[in-house]
Amino acid sequence: IYLSPMKRAQRTAAPLLAATGIAGVTLKGLHEVDFGSWTGHTWEEVHAKHGVSPFAWLDQLDGPGFPGGENAVQFRERVKVCLLEIVEKH
C-alpha cells in the first residue's frame, strides 16, 4: 500500500494497515499539490495576501500555479514519476 506523506492519508490508511499487517510505503511524490505560500492560510488570508480568489484555485493550478508551489504540469509530472516507480517495482 503506497501512501502520501500527508497526515490525513497516513491516518486514513492506519486502520487498514493494522488490520492487514501490510506495511505501508510512504512516497513523497504522492503528496497533494504544493500550494506554496498559500499553505496553512485561510481562504480570507489568501485573498488578502495574494489578491486572488482562492475559490478559483483550479484556475490558479491550471494557470501559473501557486507562488512558491507548483502548477498542474509540475504536479502531474511529479506524480507520474512516482507512479512509474511503483509500476517498475511490480
Side-chain angles (χ1 to χ4, degrees):
I1 298 174
Y2 291 92
L3 304 164
S4 161
M6 303 297 290
K7 285 182 186 179
R8 67 177 170 269
Q10 298 286 319
R11 289 179 182 160
T12 299
L16 176 64
L17 298 176
T20 61
I22 296 172
V25 177
T26 300
L27 296 177
K28 184 178 178 184
L30 293 178
H31 72 82
E32 69 180 17
V33 67
D34 182 352
F35 286 91
S37 61
W38 287 27
T39 302
H41 294 285
T42 65
W43 292 124
E44 293 80 15
E45 291 169 337
V46 168
H47 186 265
K49 184 174 181 178
H50 299 284
V52 337
S53 170
F55 297 109
W57 72 273
L58 287 173
D59 294 332
Q60 190 77 17
L61 178 64
D62 286 334
F66 302 96
E70 55 190 356
N71 62 31
V73 172
Q74 294 164 322
F75 171 71
R76 284 191 294 270
E77 184 59 30
R78 173 175 50 80
V79 173
K80 175 184 167 185
V81 168
C82 191
L83 291 175
L84 288 174
E85 177 185 325
I86 293 169
V87 168
E88 187 175 305
K89 286 183 180 182
H90 300 283

Coordinates of all heavy atoms in Angstrom, one line a residue:
I1 N 0.9 -1.2 0.0 CA 0.0 0.0 0.0 C 0.9 1.2 0.0 O 1.7 1.4 0.9 CB -0.9 0.0 1.2 CG1 -1.9 -1.2 1.1 CG2 -1.7 1.3 1.3 CD1 -2.7 -1.4 2.4
Y2 N 0.8 2.0 -1.0 CA 1.6 3.2 -1.2 C 0.8 4.4 -0.6 O -0.4 4.5 -0.9 CB 2.0 3.4 -2.6 CG 3.0 2.4 -3.1 CD1 2.6 1.2 -3.7 CD2 4.3 2.6 -2.8 CE1 3.5 0.3 -4.1 CE2 5.3 1.6 -3.2 CZ 4.8 0.5 -3.8 OH 5.7 -0.5 -4.2
L3 N 1.5 5.3 0.1 CA 0.8 6.4 0.8 C 1.5 7.7 0.5 O 2.7 7.8 0.4 CB 0.9 6.1 2.3 CG 0.3 4.8 2.8 CD1 0.8 4.6 4.3 CD2 -1.2 4.9 2.8
S4 N 0.7 8.7 0.6 CA 1.2 10.1 0.6 C 1.8 10.3 2.0 O 1.3 9.7 3.0 CB 0.0 11.0 0.4 OG 0.4 12.3 0.8
P5 N 2.7 11.2 2.1 CA 3.2 11.6 3.5 C 2.3 12.5 4.2 O 2.5 12.8 5.4 CB 4.6 12.3 3.2 CG 4.4 12.8 1.8 CD 3.5 11.9 1.1
M6 N 1.2 12.9 3.6 CA 0.2 13.8 4.3 C -0.4 13.1 5.5 O -0.7 11.9 5.4 CB -0.9 14.3 3.3 CG -0.4 14.9 2.0 SD 0.5 16.5 2.3 CE -0.8 17.5 2.8
K7 N -0.5 13.8 6.6 CA -1.0 13.3 7.8 C -2.4 12.6 7.6 O -2.6 11.5 8.1 CB -1.1 14.3 8.9 CG 0.2 14.7 9.6 CD -0.1 15.7 10.7 CE 1.2 16.2 11.2 NZ 1.0 17.2 12.3
R8 N -3.3 13.3 6.9 CA -4.6 12.7 6.7 C -4.6 11.4 5.9 O -5.4 10.5 6.2 CB -5.6 13.7 6.1 CG -5.3 14.1 4.7 CD -6.3 15.1 4.2 NE -6.0 15.6 2.9 CZ -5.3 16.8 2.8 NH1 -4.9 17.5 3.8 NH2 -4.9 17.2 1.6
A9 N -3.6 11.3 5.0 CA -3.5 10.0 4.2 C -3.0 8.9 5.2 O -3.4 7.8 5.1 CB -2.6 10.2 3.0
Q10 N -2.0 9.3 6.0 CA -1.4 8.3 6.9 C -2.5 7.8 7.9 O -2.6 6.6 8.2 CB -0.3 8.9 7.7 CG 0.9 9.3 6.8 CD 1.7 8.2 6.3 OE1 2.0 7.2 7.0 NE2 2.1 8.2 5.0
R11 N -3.3 8.8 8.4 CA -4.3 8.4 9.4 C -5.4 7.6 8.8 O -6.0 6.7 9.4 CB -4.9 9.7 10.0 CG -3.9 10.4 11.0 CD -4.5 11.6 11.6 NE -3.5 12.3 12.4 CZ -3.6 13.5 12.8 NH1 -4.5 14.3 12.3 NH2 -2.6 14.0 13.6
T12 N -5.8 7.9 7.6 CA -6.8 7.2 6.9 C -6.4 5.7 6.6 O -7.2 4.8 6.8 CB -7.2 7.8 5.5 OG1 -7.6 9.1 5.8 CG2 -8.2 7.0 4.7
A13 N -5.1 5.5 6.3 CA -4.6 4.2 6.0 C -4.3 3.4 7.2 O -4.3 2.1 7.1 CB -3.4 4.3 5.1
A14 N -4.1 4.0 8.3 CA -3.6 3.3 9.5 C -4.5 2.1 9.9 O -4.0 1.0 10.2 CB -3.5 4.3 10.7
P15 N -5.8 2.2 10.0 CA -6.6 1.0 10.3 C -6.5 -0.1 9.4 O -6.4 -1.3 9.8 CB -8.1 1.6 10.3 CG -7.9 3.1 10.5 CD -6.7 3.4 9.8
L16 N -6.4 0.2 8.1 CA -6.2 -0.8 7.1 C -4.9 -1.5 7.2 O -4.8 -2.8 7.2 CB -6.4 -0.2 5.7 CG -6.1 -1.2 4.5 CD1 -7.1 -2.3 4.5 CD2 -6.1 -0.5 3.2
L17 N -3.9 -0.8 7.4 CA -2.5 -1.3 7.6 C -2.5 -2.2 8.9 O -1.9 -3.3 8.8 CB -1.5 -0.2 7.7 CG -1.3 0.7 6.4 CD1 -0.3 1.8 6.7 CD2 -0.9 -0.2 5.2
A18 N -3.1 -1.7 9.9 CA -3.1 -2.5 11.2 C -3.9 -3.8 11.0 O -3.5 -4.9 11.5 CB -3.7 -1.7 12.3
A19 N -5.0 -3.7 10.3 CA -5.9 -4.9 10.2 C -5.3 -5.9 9.3 O -5.5 -7.1 9.4 CB -7.3 -4.5 9.6
T20 N -4.5 -5.5 8.3 CA -4.0 -6.5 7.3 C -2.6 -6.9 7.6 O -2.1 -7.9 7.1 CB -4.0 -5.8 5.9 OG1 -3.2 -4.7 5.9 CG2 -5.4 -5.5 5.4
G21 N -1.9 -6.1 8.4 CA -0.5 -6.4 8.7 C 0.4 -6.0 7.6 O 1.6 -6.3 7.6
I22 N -0.1 -5.3 6.6 CA 0.7 -4.8 5.5 C 1.4 -3.6 5.9 O 0.9 -2.7 6.5 CB -0.2 -4.6 4.2 CG1 -0.9 -5.8 3.8 CG2 0.6 -3.9 3.1 CD1 -1.9 -5.6 2.7
A23 N 2.7 -3.5 5.5 CA 3.5 -2.3 5.8 C 3.2 -1.3 4.7 O 3.4 -1.6 3.5 CB 5.0 -2.7 5.9
G24 N 2.9 -0.1 5.1 CA 2.7 0.9 4.1 C 4.0 1.5 3.6 O 5.0 1.5 4.4
V25 N 4.0 1.9 2.4 CA 5.2 2.6 1.8 C 4.9 4.0 1.5 O 4.0 4.3 0.7 CB 5.7 1.9 0.6 CG1 6.9 2.6 -0.1 CG2 6.0 0.4 0.8
T26 N 5.5 4.9 2.2 CA 5.3 6.3 2.1 C 6.2 6.9 1.0 O 7.4 6.7 1.1 CB 5.5 7.1 3.4 OG1 4.6 6.6 4.4 CG2 5.2 8.6 3.2
L27 N 5.6 7.5 0.0 CA 6.4 8.1 -1.1 C 6.1 9.6 -1.1 O 4.9 10.0 -1.3 CB 6.0 7.5 -2.4 CG 6.4 6.0 -2.6 CD1 5.9 5.5 -3.9 CD2 7.9 5.8 -2.4
K28 N 7.1 10.4 -1.0 CA 7.0 11.9 -1.0 C 6.3 12.4 -2.3 O 5.5 13.3 -2.3 CB 8.3 12.5 -0.9 CG 8.3 14.0 -0.8 CD 9.6 14.7 -0.6 CE 9.5 16.2 -0.6 NZ 10.8 16.8 -0.5
G29 N 6.5 11.7 -3.4 CA 5.9 12.1 -4.7 C 4.4 12.0 -4.7 O 3.8 12.5 -5.7
L30 N 3.8 11.3 -3.8 CA 2.4 11.2 -3.8 C 1.6 12.3 -3.0 O 0.4 12.2 -2.9 CB 2.0 9.8 -3.2 CG 2.4 8.6 -4.0 CD1 2.0 7.3 -3.3 CD2 1.7 8.7 -5.4
H31 N 2.4 13.2 -2.4 CA 1.7 14.3 -1.7 C 0.8 15.1 -2.6 O 1.0 15.2 -3.8 CB 2.6 15.1 -0.8 CG 3.5 16.1 -1.6 ND1 3.1 17.3 -2.0 CD2 4.8 15.9 -2.0 CE1 4.1 17.9 -2.6 NE2 5.1 17.1 -2.7
E32 N -0.1 15.8 -2.0 CA -1.0 16.7 -2.8 C -0.3 17.8 -3.5 O 0.9 18.0 -3.2 CB -2.2 17.2 -1.9 CG -1.7 18.3 -0.9 CD -2.8 18.8 0.0 OE1 -3.9 18.2 0.0 OE2 -2.6 19.8 0.6
V33 N -1.0 18.5 -4.3 CA -0.4 19.7 -5.0 C 0.3 20.6 -4.0 O -0.2 20.8 -2.9 CB -1.4 20.4 -5.9 CG1 -2.5 21.1 -5.0 CG2 -0.7 21.4 -6.8
D34 N 1.4 21.1 -4.3 CA 2.1 22.1 -3.4 C 1.5 23.5 -3.6 O 1.7 24.1 -4.6 CB 3.6 22.1 -3.8 CG 4.4 23.0 -2.9 OD1 3.8 23.7 -2.1 OD2 5.7 22.9 -3.0
F35 N 0.8 23.9 -2.6 CA 0.1 25.2 -2.6 C 1.1 26.4 -2.3 O 0.6 27.5 -2.2 CB -1.1 25.2 -1.7 CG -2.3 24.4 -2.2 CD1 -2.4 23.1 -1.9 CD2 -3.2 25.0 -3.0 CE1 -3.5 22.3 -2.3 CE2 -4.3 24.3 -3.5 CZ -4.4 22.9 -3.2
G36 N 2.3 26.1 -2.1 CA 3.3 27.1 -1.9 C 2.9 28.0 -0.7 O 2.6 27.6 0.4
S37 N 3.0 29.3 -1.0 CA 2.7 30.3 0.1 C 1.3 30.4 0.5 O 0.9 31.0 1.5 CB 3.2 31.7 -0.3 OG 2.5 32.1 -1.5
W38 N 0.4 29.6 -0.2 CA -1.0 29.5 0.3 C -1.1 28.5 1.4 O -2.1 28.6 2.2 CB -1.9 29.0 -0.9 CG -2.2 30.0 -2.0 CD1 -1.4 31.1 -2.4 CD2 -3.3 30.0 -2.8 NE1 -2.0 31.7 -3.5 CE2 -3.2 31.0 -3.7 CE3 -4.4 29.2 -2.9 CZ2 -4.1 31.3 -4.7 CZ3 -5.4 29.4 -3.9 CH2 -5.2 30.5 -4.8
T39 N -0.2 27.6 1.6 CA -0.3 26.6 2.6 C -0.4 27.1 4.0 O 0.3 28.0 4.4 CB 1.0 25.7 2.5 OG1 1.1 25.2 1.2 CG2 0.9 24.6 3.5
G40 N -1.4 26.6 4.7 CA -1.6 27.0 6.1 C -2.5 28.2 6.3 O -2.7 28.6 7.4
H41 N -2.9 28.8 5.2 CA -3.7 30.1 5.3 C -5.2 29.8 5.0 O -5.5 28.9 4.3 CB -3.2 31.1 4.4 CG -1.8 31.6 4.7 ND1 -1.5 32.4 5.7 CD2 -0.6 31.3 4.1 CE1 -0.2 32.6 5.8 NE2 0.4 31.9 4.8
T42 N -6.0 30.6 5.7 CA -7.5 30.5 5.4 C -7.7 31.1 4.0 O -6.9 31.8 3.4 CB -8.3 31.3 6.4 OG1 -8.0 32.7 6.3 CG2 -8.0 30.8 7.8
W43 N -8.9 30.9 3.5 CA -9.3 31.5 2.2 C -9.2 33.0 2.3 O -8.7 33.7 1.3 CB -10.7 31.1 1.8 CG -10.9 29.7 1.5 CD1 -11.9 28.8 2.1 CD2 -10.3 28.9 0.5 NE1 -11.8 27.6 1.5 CE2 -10.8 27.6 0.5 CE3 -9.3 29.1 -0.5 CZ2 -10.5 26.6 -0.3 CZ3 -8.9 28.1 -1.3 CH2 -9.4 26.8 -1.2
E44 N -9.6 33.6 3.4 CA -9.6 35.0 3.5 C -8.2 35.6 3.5 O -7.9 36.6 2.9 CB -10.3 35.4 4.8 CG -11.8 35.2 4.8 CD -12.2 33.7 5.1 OE1 -11.3 33.0 5.6 OE2 -13.3 33.4 4.8
E45 N -7.3 34.9 4.2 CA -5.9 35.3 4.2 C -5.2 35.2 2.9 O -4.4 36.1 2.5 CB -5.1 34.4 5.2 CG -5.5 34.6 6.7 CD -4.9 33.6 7.6 OE1 -4.6 32.5 7.2 OE2 -4.8 33.9 8.8
V46 N -5.6 34.1 2.1 CA -5.0 34.0 0.8 C -5.5 35.2 -0.1 O -4.7 35.8 -0.8 CB -5.4 32.7 0.1 CG1 -5.1 32.6 -1.4 CG2 -4.8 31.5 0.8
H47 N -6.7 35.5 0.0 CA -7.3 36.6 -0.8 C -6.6 37.9 -0.4 O -6.2 38.7 -1.3 CB -8.8 36.8 -0.6 CG -9.4 37.8 -1.5 ND1 -9.6 39.1 -1.1 CD2 -9.7 37.7 -2.8 CE1 -10.1 39.8 -2.1 NE2 -10.2 39.0 -3.2
A48 N -6.4 38.2 0.9 CA -5.8 39.4 1.4 C -4.3 39.5 1.0 O -3.9 40.6 0.6 CB -6.0 39.5 2.9
K49 N -3.6 38.4 1.1 CA -2.2 38.4 0.8 C -1.9 38.4 -0.7 O -0.9 39.0 -1.1 CB -1.6 37.2 1.5 CG -0.1 37.2 1.4 CD 0.5 36.0 2.2 CE 2.0 36.0 2.1 NZ 2.7 35.0 2.9
H50 N -2.6 37.7 -1.5 CA -2.3 37.4 -2.9 C -3.2 38.1 -3.8 O -3.0 38.1 -5.1 CB -2.2 35.9 -3.2 CG -1.2 35.2 -2.4 ND1 0.2 35.3 -2.6 CD2 -1.3 34.4 -1.3 CE1 0.8 34.6 -1.7 NE2 -0.1 34.1 -0.9
G51 N -4.3 38.7 -3.3 CA -5.3 39.4 -4.2 C -6.0 38.6 -5.2 O -6.4 39.1 -6.3
V52 N -6.1 37.3 -5.0 CA -6.8 36.4 -5.9 C -7.9 35.6 -5.1 O -7.7 35.4 -3.9 CB -5.9 35.4 -6.6 CG1 -4.5 35.9 -6.7 CG2 -6.0 34.0 -6.1
S53 N -8.9 35.3 -5.7 CA -10.0 34.5 -5.1 C -9.5 33.1 -4.9 O -9.2 32.4 -5.9 CB -11.3 34.5 -5.9 OG -12.2 33.5 -5.3
P54 N -9.3 32.6 -3.7 CA -8.8 31.2 -3.5 C -9.9 30.2 -4.0 O -9.5 29.1 -4.2 CB -8.6 31.1 -2.0 CG -9.4 32.2 -1.4 CD -9.5 33.3 -2.4
F55 N -11.1 30.6 -4.2 CA -12.1 29.7 -4.6 C -11.9 29.4 -6.1 O -12.5 28.4 -6.6 CB -13.5 30.3 -4.4 CG -13.8 30.5 -3.0 CD1 -13.9 31.8 -2.4 CD2 -14.0 29.4 -2.1 CE1 -14.2 32.0 -1.1 CE2 -14.3 29.6 -0.8 CZ -14.3 30.9 -0.2
A56 N -11.0 30.1 -6.8 CA -10.7 29.8 -8.1 C -9.3 29.1 -8.2 O -8.5 29.2 -9.1 CB -10.6 31.1 -8.9
W57 N -9.1 28.3 -7.2 CA -7.8 27.6 -7.1 C -7.5 26.7 -8.2 O -6.4 26.5 -8.6 CB -7.7 26.9 -5.7 CG -8.5 25.6 -5.6 CD1 -9.8 25.5 -5.1 CD2 -8.1 24.3 -5.8 NE1 -10.2 24.2 -5.1 CE2 -9.2 23.4 -5.5 CE3 -6.9 23.7 -6.3 CZ2 -9.1 22.1 -5.7 CZ3 -6.8 22.3 -6.5 CH2 -7.9 21.5 -6.2
L58 N -8.6 26.1 -8.9 CA -8.3 25.2 -10.0 C -7.8 26.0 -11.2 O -6.9 25.6 -11.9 CB -9.6 24.5 -10.4 CG -10.0 23.3 -9.5 CD1 -11.3 22.7 -9.8 CD2 -8.9 22.2 -9.5
D59 N -8.3 27.3 -11.3 CA -7.8 28.1 -12.4 C -6.4 28.5 -12.1 O -5.5 28.6 -13.0 CB -8.6 29.4 -12.5 CG -10.1 29.2 -12.9 OD1 -10.3 28.2 -13.7 OD2 -10.9 30.0 -12.5
Q60 N -6.0 28.7 -10.8 CA -4.7 29.0 -10.4 C -3.8 27.8 -10.7 O -2.7 28.0 -11.3 CB -4.6 29.4 -8.9 CG -3.3 30.0 -8.5 CD -3.1 31.4 -8.9 OE1 -4.1 32.1 -9.2 NE2 -1.9 31.9 -8.8
L61 N -4.2 26.7 -10.4 CA -3.5 25.4 -10.6 C -3.2 25.2 -12.1 O -2.1 24.9 -12.6 CB -4.2 24.2 -10.1 CG -3.5 22.9 -10.3 CD1 -2.2 22.8 -9.5 CD2 -4.5 21.8 -9.8
D62 N -4.2 25.4 -12.9 CA -4.1 25.2 -14.4 C -3.4 26.3 -15.1 O -2.9 26.2 -16.2 CB -5.5 25.0 -15.0 CG -6.1 23.7 -14.7 OD1 -5.3 22.7 -14.5 OD2 -7.3 23.6 -14.7
G63 N -3.3 27.5 -14.4 CA -2.5 28.6 -15.0 C -1.1 28.7 -14.4 O -0.3 27.7 -14.6
P64 N -0.8 29.8 -13.8 CA 0.6 30.0 -13.3 C 1.0 29.1 -12.1 O 2.2 29.0 -11.8 CB 0.6 31.5 -12.9 CG -0.8 31.7 -12.4 CD -1.7 30.9 -13.4
G65 N 0.1 28.5 -11.5 CA 0.4 27.7 -10.3 C 0.4 28.6 -9.1 O -0.1 29.7 -9.1
F66 N 0.9 28.1 -8.0 CA 0.8 28.8 -6.7 C 2.2 29.4 -6.4 O 3.2 28.7 -6.6 CB 0.4 27.8 -5.6 CG -0.9 27.2 -5.9 CD1 -1.0 26.0 -6.5 CD2 -2.1 27.9 -5.6 CE1 -2.3 25.4 -6.8 CE2 -3.3 27.4 -5.9 CZ -3.4 26.1 -6.5
P67 N 2.3 30.6 -5.9 CA 3.5 31.2 -5.6 C 4.4 30.3 -4.6 O 3.9 30.0 -3.6 CB 3.1 32.5 -4.9 CG 1.7 32.8 -5.3 CD 1.1 31.5 -5.5
G68 N 5.5 30.0 -5.1 CA 6.4 29.1 -4.2 C 6.0 27.7 -4.3 O 6.6 26.8 -3.6
G69 N 4.9 27.3 -5.1 CA 4.4 26.0 -5.2 C 4.6 25.4 -6.6 O 5.5 25.7 -7.3
E70 N 3.6 24.7 -7.0 CA 3.6 24.1 -8.3 C 2.3 24.4 -9.1 O 1.3 24.8 -8.5 CB 3.9 22.6 -8.3 CG 3.0 21.8 -7.4 CD 3.5 20.4 -7.2 OE1 4.5 19.9 -7.7 OE2 2.8 19.7 -6.4
N71 N 2.4 24.2 -10.4 CA 1.3 24.3 -11.3 C 0.9 22.8 -11.7 O 1.5 21.9 -11.3 CB 1.5 25.1 -12.5 CG 2.6 24.6 -13.4 OD1 2.8 23.4 -13.5 ND2 3.4 25.5 -14.0
A72 N -0.2 22.7 -12.5 CA -0.7 21.4 -12.8 C 0.3 20.6 -13.6 O 0.4 19.3 -13.3 CB -2.0 21.6 -13.6
V73 N 1.0 21.2 -14.5 CA 2.0 20.4 -15.2 C 3.1 19.8 -14.3 O 3.5 18.6 -14.4 CB 2.7 21.3 -16.3 CG1 3.8 20.6 -17.0 CG2 1.6 21.7 -17.4
Q74 N 3.6 20.6 -13.4 CA 4.6 20.2 -12.4 C 4.0 19.1 -11.5 O 4.7 18.1 -11.2 CB 5.1 21.3 -11.6 CG 5.9 22.4 -12.4 CD 6.0 23.7 -11.7 OE1 5.1 24.1 -11.0 NE2 7.2 24.3 -11.9
F75 N 2.8 19.3 -11.1 CA 2.1 18.3 -10.2 C 2.0 17.0 -10.9 O 2.4 15.9 -10.4 CB 0.8 18.8 -9.8 CG -0.1 17.8 -9.0 CD1 0.2 17.4 -7.8 CD2 -1.2 17.3 -9.7 CE1 -0.5 16.5 -7.1 CE2 -2.0 16.3 -9.0 CZ -1.7 15.9 -7.7
R76 N 1.5 17.0 -12.1 CA 1.3 15.7 -12.9 C 2.6 15.0 -13.1 O 2.7 13.8 -13.1 CB 0.6 16.0 -14.2 CG -0.9 16.2 -14.0 CD -1.7 16.2 -15.3 NE -1.4 17.3 -16.2 CZ -2.0 18.5 -16.2 NH1 -3.0 18.7 -15.4 NH2 -1.6 19.4 -17.0
E77 N 3.7 15.8 -13.5 CA 5.0 15.2 -13.7 C 5.5 14.5 -12.5 O 6.1 13.4 -12.5 CB 5.9 16.3 -14.3 CG 7.3 15.7 -14.7 CD 7.2 14.6 -15.7 OE1 6.3 14.6 -16.6 OE2 8.1 13.7 -15.7
R78 N 5.4 15.2 -11.3 CA 5.9 14.6 -10.1 C 5.2 13.3 -9.7 O 5.8 12.3 -9.4 CB 5.7 15.6 -8.9 CG 6.0 15.0 -7.6 CD 6.0 16.1 -6.5 NE 4.8 16.9 -6.4 CZ 3.6 16.5 -5.9 NH1 3.5 15.3 -5.4 NH2 2.6 17.3 -5.8
V79 N 3.9 13.3 -9.9 CA 3.1 12.1 -9.6 C 3.4 11.0 -10.6 O 3.5 9.8 -10.3 CB 1.6 12.4 -9.5 CG1 0.7 11.2 -9.3 CG2 1.3 13.4 -8.3
K80 N 3.5 11.4 -11.9 CA 3.8 10.4 -12.9 C 5.1 9.7 -12.6 O 5.2 8.5 -12.7 CB 4.0 11.1 -14.3 CG 4.4 10.3 -15.4 CD 4.5 11.1 -16.7 CE 5.3 10.3 -17.7 NZ 5.5 11.2 -18.9
V81 N 6.2 10.4 -12.2 CA 7.5 9.8 -11.9 C 7.3 8.8 -10.7 O 7.8 7.7 -10.8 CB 8.5 10.9 -11.5 CG1 9.7 10.3 -10.9 CG2 8.9 11.7 -12.8
C82 N 6.5 9.2 -9.8 CA 6.3 8.3 -8.6 C 5.5 7.1 -9.0 O 5.8 6.0 -8.6 CB 5.5 9.1 -7.6 SG 5.4 8.3 -6.0
L83 N 4.5 7.2 -9.8 CA 3.7 6.1 -10.3 C 4.5 5.1 -11.2 O 4.4 3.9 -11.1 CB 2.4 6.6 -11.0 CG 1.4 7.3 -10.1 CD1 0.2 7.8 -11.0 CD2 0.9 6.3 -9.1
L84 N 5.3 5.7 -12.0 CA 6.2 4.8 -12.8 C 7.2 4.0 -12.0 O 7.5 2.9 -12.3 CB 6.9 5.7 -13.9 CG 6.1 6.2 -15.0 CD1 6.9 7.2 -15.9 CD2 5.4 5.1 -15.8
E85 N 7.6 4.6 -10.9 CA 8.5 3.9 -10.0 C 7.7 2.7 -9.3 O 8.3 1.6 -9.2 CB 8.9 4.9 -8.9 CG 9.8 4.3 -7.8 CD 10.1 5.3 -6.7 OE1 10.3 6.5 -7.0 OE2 10.2 4.8 -5.5
I86 N 6.5 3.0 -9.0 CA 5.7 1.9 -8.4 C 5.5 0.8 -9.4 O 5.6 -0.4 -9.1 CB 4.3 2.4 -7.9 CG1 4.6 3.4 -6.7 CG2 3.4 1.3 -7.5 CD1 3.3 4.2 -6.3
V87 N 5.1 1.1 -10.6 CA 4.9 0.2 -11.7 C 6.1 -0.7 -12.0 O 6.1 -1.9 -12.1 CB 4.3 0.8 -13.0 CG1 4.4 -0.1 -14.2 CG2 3.0 1.4 -12.7
E88 N 7.3 0.0 -12.0 CA 8.5 -0.7 -12.3 C 8.8 -1.7 -11.2 O 9.4 -2.8 -11.5 CB 9.7 0.3 -12.3 CG 11.0 -0.3 -12.8 CD 12.1 0.8 -13.0 OE1 11.8 1.8 -13.7 OE2 13.1 0.7 -12.4
K89 N 8.5 -1.4 -9.9 CA 8.8 -2.3 -8.8 C 7.9 -3.6 -8.9 O 8.2 -4.6 -8.3 CB 8.6 -1.6 -7.5 CG 9.7 -0.7 -7.1 CD 9.5 -0.1 -5.8 CE 10.6 0.8 -5.4 NZ 10.5 1.4 -4.1
H90 N 6.7 -3.4 -9.6 CA 5.8 -4.5 -9.6 C 5.5 -5.1 -11.0 O 4.6 -5.7 -11.2 CB 4.4 -4.1 -8.9 CG 4.7 -3.6 -7.5 ND1 4.8 -4.5 -6.4 CD2 4.8 -2.4 -7.0 CE1 5.0 -3.8 -5.3 NE2 5.0 -2.5 -5.6

